[in-house]
């Protein structure tokens, strides 16, 4: 089989017009998103996602995928798979009906490698339009790489490294530097195409090696960067890696792997019963059949590009389409803080108190860098959003929400730190928690700091005067191990037995003595 050409367009400039038919960000200062539906017609799957929520950190209001394998057999026939077309059309009819029911029609729909390469791709577009009314916006490989990279930027503002998006029929690479998309490449390294390579495992290995070498050459032999992996086959690979390692937090976004991890998991997959493995990990049979091919590509990529680390991104083309439409002022905001503010405004009993609470607890963390400060701020904003949960389970609900919620700009260790702090917001002790295995991902110092933060939130929550009124301030002298609570006169009646007990517990976690002073 002849290799498809690898092309390299100039670096991206200003954002291009996208396929959206109506505004989704209402003005430069928009903090919320106008609900919007996006369909991604890929070579292997067709997915429908409805975004809603915070403008800078959209939530998944609805998410459905159908494995259609439109690109199966494309290399041999030059045409889309007949069964795949039927499944795709059925899925698109359903998605359009759902969109009409949600009041978000018309849908924004993009199609990638299979539709753009197939000789009957235009006819399929026309049939989709006739049966569903959906306009398919077919993008080329370079645009696919650009949008995937912008999807990464949605979750990692200012990200740098190499974005690698694997689909069914192609694999794209894009350079990221200082939050900008640079050189993009497209290649025929999609698993659906790779399984049609003739000559057995040796020929497949040589085929992959040659294409990756060409990509490396065109990428100016870049090495040592972070490698962001986008696409379902990479996510399935990561899920196998988690299982092999016994990793306790099964959140794929921001999951990190090393080069030795990739090599070990590639061998593990090659030696495993794929049916048993997919059943254990709840991976579809269609996806699992492609994972061995994707794992061989990843092994070669890691060998040649020598990344400093490897991160899974759940954000890709669909999120990139949203990022494309964002005003720059919105792009510049922190997705974690924006999501936390949105949640506080929607669900907290006293929206706005989180900012006062942040000022209240920060004297306990005089050496916190900017990264730790943003996690503390997010915890303060989220400290009361789960108040509707049953009191017996509120601590666990808080921890679960923090660690498993769809949040961008948050490493796994930071998820656990924030979750542990919010757990201590509602209870003093963590012994016997069902989440103890996750605590082990933090250093002992981090566990102690999360406990202090949570207990400070627990104390501060007793001193509500209102969103705009400061109840008091904490003063901590680390060298002398002295903690002082200075109360505003109006807050003195709030400092009863329970608040006193919480202050004592906080001081104990700090190993400090404590006193209370009412401001004159």
């Amino acid at each position: 089989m002849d290799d498809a050409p690898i092309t390299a367009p100039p670096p991206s400039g200003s954002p291009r017009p996208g396929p959206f038919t109506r505004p989704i960000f209402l003005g430069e200062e928009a903090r919320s998103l106008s609900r919007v539906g996006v369909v991604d017609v890929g070579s292997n799957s067709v997915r429908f996602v409805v975004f809603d929520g915070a403008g800078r950190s959209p939530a998944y209001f609805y998410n459905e995928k159908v494995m259609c394998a439109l690109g199966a057999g494309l290399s041999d026939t030059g045409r889309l798979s007949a069964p795949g077309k039927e499944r795709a059309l059925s899925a698109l009819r359903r998605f359009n009906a759902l969109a009409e029911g949600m009041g978000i029609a018309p849908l924004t729909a993009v199609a990638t490698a299979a539709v753009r390469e197939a000789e009957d791709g235009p006819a399929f577009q026309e049939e989709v339009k006739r049966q569903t009314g959906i306009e398919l916006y077919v993008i080329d490989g370079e645009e696919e790489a650009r949008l995937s990279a912008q999807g990464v930027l949605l979750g990692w503002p200012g990200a740098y490294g190499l974005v690698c998006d694997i689909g069914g029929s192609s694999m794209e690479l894009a350079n990221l530097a200082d939050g900008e998309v640079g050189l993009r490449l497209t290649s025929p390294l999609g698993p659906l195409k790779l399984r049609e390579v003739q000559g057995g495992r040796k020929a497949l290995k040589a085929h992959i090696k040659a294409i990756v070498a060409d990509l490396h050459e065109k990428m100016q032999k870049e090495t040592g960067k972070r490698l962001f992996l986008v696409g379902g086959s990479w996510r399935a690979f990561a899920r196998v890696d988690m299982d092999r390692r016994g990793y306790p937090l099964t959140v794929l976004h921001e999951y990190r792997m090393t080069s030795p991890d990739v090599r070990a998991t590639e061998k593990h997959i090659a030696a495993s019963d794929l049916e048993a493995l997919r059943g254990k990990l709840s991976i579809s049979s269609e996806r699992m059949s492609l994972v061995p091919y994707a794992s061989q590509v990843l092994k070669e990529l890691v060998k040649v590009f020598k990344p400093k680390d490897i991160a899974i991104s759940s954000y890709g083309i669909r999120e990139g389409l949203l990022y494309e439409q964002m005003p720059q002022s919105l792009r510049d905001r922190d997705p974690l803080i924006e999501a936390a503010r949105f949640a506080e405004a929607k669900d907290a009993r006293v929206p706005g108190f989180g900012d006062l609470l942040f000022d209240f607890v920060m004297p306990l963390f005089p050496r916190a860098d900017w990264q730790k400060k943003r996690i503390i701020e997010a915890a303060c904003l989220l400290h009361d959003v789960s108040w509707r949960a049953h009191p017996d389970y509120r601590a666990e609900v808080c921890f679960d929400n923090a660690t498993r919620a769809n949040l961008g700009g948050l490493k796994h260790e930071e998820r656990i730190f924030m979750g542990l702090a919010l757990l201590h917001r509602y209870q003093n002790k963590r012994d016997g928690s069902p989440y103890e295995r996750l605590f082990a991902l933090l250093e002992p110092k981090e566990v102690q700091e999360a406990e202090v933060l949570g207990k400070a939130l627990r104390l501060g929550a007793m001193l509500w005067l209102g969103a705009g009124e400061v109840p008091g301030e904490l003063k901590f002298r680390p060298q002398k191990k002295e903690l002082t609570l200075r109360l505003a006169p109006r807050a003195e009646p709030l400092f009863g037995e329970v608040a006193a007990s919480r202050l004592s517990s906080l001081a104990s976690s700090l190993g400090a003595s404590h006193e209370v002073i009412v401001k004159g």
Side-chain angles (χ1 to χ4, degrees):
M1 182 182 70
D2 293 336
D3 294 344
I6 299 174
T7 56
S12 62
S14 58
R16 310 172 189 181
F20 288 104
T21 57
R22 58 186 173 85
I24 58 174
F25 297 102
L26 305 178
E28 285 286 320
E29 296 304 315
R31 298 200 97 96
S32 61
L33 174 70
S34 174
R35 188 174 295 168
V36 62
V38 177
V39 173
D40 175 7
V41 180
S43 302
N44 196 41
S45 66
V46 177
R47 187 184 289 270
F48 171 46
V49 175
V50 180
F51 294 102
D52 200 347
R56 186 59 187 82
S57 186
Y60 295 86
F61 178 80
Y62 189 84
N63 192 344
E64 183 176 339
K65 174 184 68 177
V66 178
M67 302 295 288
C68 299
L70 269 173
L74 178 63
S75 297
D76 292 334
T77 67
R79 300 177 65 83
L80 297 171
S81 161
K85 285 193 291 185
E86 286 302 314
R87 294 188 75 183
L89 285 166
S90 175
L92 290 169
R93 287 194 297 270
R94 169 175 163 75
F95 296 161
N96 190 62
L98 286 170
E100 288 177 347
M102 295 178 192
I104 58 170
L107 288 171
T108 295
V110 295
T112 54
V115 177
R116 73 172 172 254
E117 293 176 9
E119 62 184 53
D120 58 342
F124 178 70
Q125 283 179 270
E126 292 175 7
E127 188 64 17
V128 168
K129 174 68 172 175
R130 187 184 70 80
Q131 290 196 27
T132 70
I134 296 173
E135 291 274 7
L136 271 186
Y137 181 75
V138 180
I139 57 176
D140 61 28
E142 294 75 39
E143 181 71 351
E144 187 175 352
R146 191 181 71 88
L147 289 173
S148 291
Q150 289 194 160
V152 170
L153 290 174
L154 186 80
W156 283 280
Y160 65 93
L162 191 65
V163 177
C164 180
D165 181 2
I166 195 165
S169 296
S170 66
M171 186 193 78
E172 280 69 42
L173 292 178
N175 240 329
L176 279 180
D178 300 319
E180 296 290 332
V181 184
L183 183 66
R184 289 103 63 205
L185 304 173
T186 185
S187 75
L189 287 178
L192 286 174
K193 282 191 174 179
L194 293 178
R195 72 181 182 186
E196 295 166 10
V197 174
Q198 303 297 311
R201 186 175 177 85
K202 186 175 181 180
L204 178 62
K205 183 178 179 180
H207 177 78
I208 292 170
K209 182 177 181 179
I211 295 176
V212 170
D214 195 20
L215 289 169
H216 190 229
E217 186 70 30
K218 287 184 168 65
M219 274 287 178
Q220 301 169 356
K221 298 186 177 181
E222 292 274 12
T223 57
K225 290 188 171 184
R226 174 166 294 142
L227 180 62
F228 296 96
L229 299 181
V230 177
S233 292
W234 294 149
R235 292 193 295 273
F237 180 94
R239 185 67 189 87
V240 176
D241 187 70
M242 286 178 170
D243 179 67
R244 180 189 64 79
R245 293 172 56 195
Y247 188 79
L249 181 59
T250 54
V251 173
L252 288 167
H253 187 64
E254 257 284 12
Y255 176 63
R256 300 295 179 98
M257 297 182 288
T258 64
S259 296
D261 288 333
V262 168
R263 292 191 291 270
T265 299
E266 190 272 336
K267 289 180 181 178
H268 177 67
I269 291 169
S272 294
D273 179 331
L274 294 185
E275 183 61 23
L277 195 58
R278 78 153 200 94
K280 179 183 179 183
L281 303 179
S282 299
I283 298 171
S284 71
S285 56
E286 295 94 338
R287 177 68 68 197
M288 198 70 215
S289 69
L290 302 180
V291 171
Y293 299 96
S295 67
Q296 292 180 66
V297 174
L298 184 55
K299 179 183 176 182
E300 188 65 23
L301 281 170
V302 165
K303 178 182 177 181
V304 172
F305 283 87
K306 297 179 174 58
K308 72 170 188 176
D309 67 359
I310 302 157
I312 296 293
S313 173
S314 294
Y315 300 164
I317 289 176
R318 297 172 293 276
E319 293 76 14
L321 285 165
L322 290 185
Y323 190 85
E324 180 83 347
Q325 301 300 312
M326 277 186 187
Q328 187 61 47
S329 60
L330 188 56
R331 291 182 180 185
D332 292 340
R333 295 176 188 161
D334 186 324
L336 172 62
I337 301 303
E338 289 296 302
R341 287 196 182 283
F342 186 88
E344 185 197 36
K346 182 170 67 75
D347 294 325
R349 285 172 287 188
V350 185
F353 189 72
D355 285 331
L356 294 180
L357 204 51
F358 178 63
D359 292 337
F360 180 74
V361 304
M362 275 311 297
L364 303 178
F365 304 95
R367 296 183 179 179
D369 60 16
W370 69 269
Q371 292 172 309
K372 178 57 66 65
K373 285 179 181 177
R374 63 190 288 273
I375 305 303
I376 294 171
E377 182 177 3
C380 292
L381 293 168
L382 294 172
H383 87 103
D384 188 49
V385 299
S386 298
W387 64 270
R388 291 181 179 87
H390 190 284
D392 291 349
Y393 300 100
R394 204 170 285 157
E396 292 183 9
V397 168
C398 284
F399 184 89
D400 206 49
N401 285 345
T403 54
R404 301 183 192 279
N406 178 59
L407 294 170
L410 200 59
K411 299 175 186 175
H412 279 202
E413 294 83 358
E414 292 169 337
R415 284 178 180 270
I416 296 167
F417 178 92
M418 188 166 69
L420 184 54
L422 292 172
L423 182 148
H424 279 295
R425 154 69 177 90
Y426 285 105
Q427 66 183 36
N428 275 330
K429 296 182 179 179
R430 60 183 174 273
D431 296 340
S433 167
Y435 304 112
E436 279 187 312
R437 287 185 65 222
L438 295 175
F439 305 159
L441 295 180
L442 298 180
E443 295 294 329
K445 179 185 176 185
E446 292 286 296
V447 171
Q448 197 269 340
E449 285 188 351
E451 177 182 316
V452 167
L453 173 57
K455 289 186 176 183
L457 296 176
R458 190 166 168 79
L459 170 63
M462 296 293 295
L463 306 176
W464 284 348
L465 289 174
E469 193 167 353
V470 179
E473 61 183 0
L474 287 171
K475 294 289 186 183
F476 180 50
R477 299 172 182 83
Q479 299 299 322
K480 295 183 176 181
K481 294 291 184 180
E482 294 175 350
L483 177 66
T484 301
L485 172 61
R486 295 175 58 86
L487 287 172
R490 276 206 348 108
E492 183 182 10
L494 299 176
F495 192 76
E497 290 183 10
V498 175
S501 175
R502 292 184 179 185
L503 176 61
S504 177
S505 181
L506 172 60
S508 176
S509 293
L510 288 165
S513 61
H514 64 281
E515 64 175 345
V516 180
I517 299 173
V518 179
K519 296 178 183 179

